[in-house]
Amino acid sequence: MLKSIPPEEKKTYVTLYKTNGYSYTMTLLAIIAEFVYVTTILDSMPVNFWMGLTVIMNIFVLFLVFTCAVKINVYSSPWAVITLAVGVYFLVRQFLIVPVFLQPYAHETILLVSNLIGSVLLIIAGVTGTAKAKKRQALRKKLERIGS
């Protein structure tokens, strides 16, 4: 079966039995950036109604990003797109939600860096995860045609 696959597709063939470690690692690193963001924003925002919503939202985001990491590890294309969307959310959060609603009084640089790093990591993970999932799916269809 391997001899019938062109050499440029052999790397894609490896994805049939190997997980997507690159995108998985990027997504897990984004969880660390999210954790830095959460601890910093809670330390530097005024105690008001927005603090409770921030805690609830960030718990949801942490669970969502972890789920994305697990699903992107097994080449799930829809979850790779969700990972990409969460990366865009990190940018929106940094440039719209943080300054307008949360209004931190300190640590703005740490918040900016953690959001930008998390965003870049998630966008890279989403783009590469989507590309690898599509290549893997195309190869699986080709192998099904060869086997039939």
Side-chain angles (χ1 to χ4, degrees), residues 41-130:
I41 194 68
L42 292 177
D43 185 44
S44 62
M45 70 183 286
V47 178
N48 60 18
F49 169 75
W50 293 108
M51 186 173 264
L53 287 177
T54 301
V55 169
I56 292 169
M57 185 63 185
N58 286 305
I59 289 171
F60 172 74
V61 169
L62 283 168
F63 282 131
L64 179 64
V65 174
F66 181 73
T67 304
C68 287
V70 171
K71 293 294 188 174
I72 207 169
N73 195 29
V74 292
Y75 301 97
S76 174
S77 186
W79 282 94
V81 173
I82 292 170
T83 303
L84 186 63
V86 174
V88 172
Y89 163 74
F90 276 29
L91 290 175
V92 170
R93 176 175 70 185
Q94 175 58 39
F95 297 112
L96 182 66
I97 297 172
V98 169
V100 174
F101 297 106
L102 303 182
Q103 301 169 349
Y105 52 81
H107 309 299
E108 289 89 358
T109 306
I110 295 172
L111 294 171
L112 173 69
V113 169
S114 65
N115 272 321
L116 291 179
I117 288 173
S119 177
V120 167
L121 289 170
L122 288 174
I123 289 171
I124 290 171
V127 169
T128 58
T130 302

Side-chain angles (χ1 to χ4, degrees), residues 2-28:
L2 272 177
K3 293 180 182 179
S4 64
I5 299 174
E8 63 272 2
E9 287 185 6
K10 286 190 180 181
K11 283 187 180 182
T12 307
Y13 183 79
V14 172
T15 66
L16 295 176
Y17 58 89
K18 187 177 176 187
T19 58
N20 187 359
Y22 179 75
S23 295
Y24 178 72
T25 303
M26 293 287 194
T27 309
L28 290 181

